[in-house]
Amino acid sequence: MLNLALSIAFVMVGIAILLSFIRLIIGPNTPDRILALDTLYINTIALLILLGINLQSALYFEAALLIAVMGFMGTLALSKYLLRGDIME
C-alpha cells in the first residue's frame, strides 16, 4: 500500500515540478517568476522527502533541509531586489 501511495505521490510531485518550470519560463512578469521559483524548490523538497521515504535513507532529508534554507534565502534576495533594486543596504 505504501508503494502505491509513493508512486502516486512521485507522479503528482513530478507534474507539479513540470508546471512550476513552465510558469518559470513563460511567466508574464517578474513576481510570477519569483513565485514559480519558490514553488519549484518547495516541490523539489517534497520530491527529496519522498525519495528518502522510498529508499529509507536520512541523507535525503538533510539535503531537503539544505535546499529549504538556500531556497528561502534566494527568494528573500530576489524579492528584496525586486522591491528596492539593491540587495545590500
Side-chain angles (χ1 to χ4, degrees):
M1 187 67 177
L2 182 63
N3 288 333
L4 178 66
L6 282 173
S7 298
I8 293 171
F10 273 123
V11 169
M12 294 181 94
V13 171
I15 291 170
I17 287 174
L18 180 68
L19 291 173
S20 296
F21 188 71
I22 289 171
R23 177 54 58 192
L24 181 66
I25 298 297
I26 63 168
N29 52 19
T30 308
D32 286 335
R33 289 189 170 133
I34 292 174
L35 184 62
L37 188 64
D38 189 46
T39 306
L40 192 63
Y41 87 78
I42 289 172
N43 290 330
T44 305
I45 291 168
L47 189 66
L48 278 174
I49 295 217
L50 286 172
L51 194 61
I53 292 170
N54 192 24
L55 297 177
Q56 297 176 352
S57 174
L59 184 65
Y60 294 101
F61 299 111
E62 294 173 8
L65 183 63
L66 287 173
I67 289 176
V69 170
M70 297 304 283
F72 173 73
M73 295 305 289
T75 303
L76 185 68
L78 285 172
S79 299
K80 193 171 182 181
Y81 178 75
L82 185 64
L83 286 174
R84 298 186 183 152
D86 189 21
I87 296 173
M88 302 297 266
E89 290 182 351

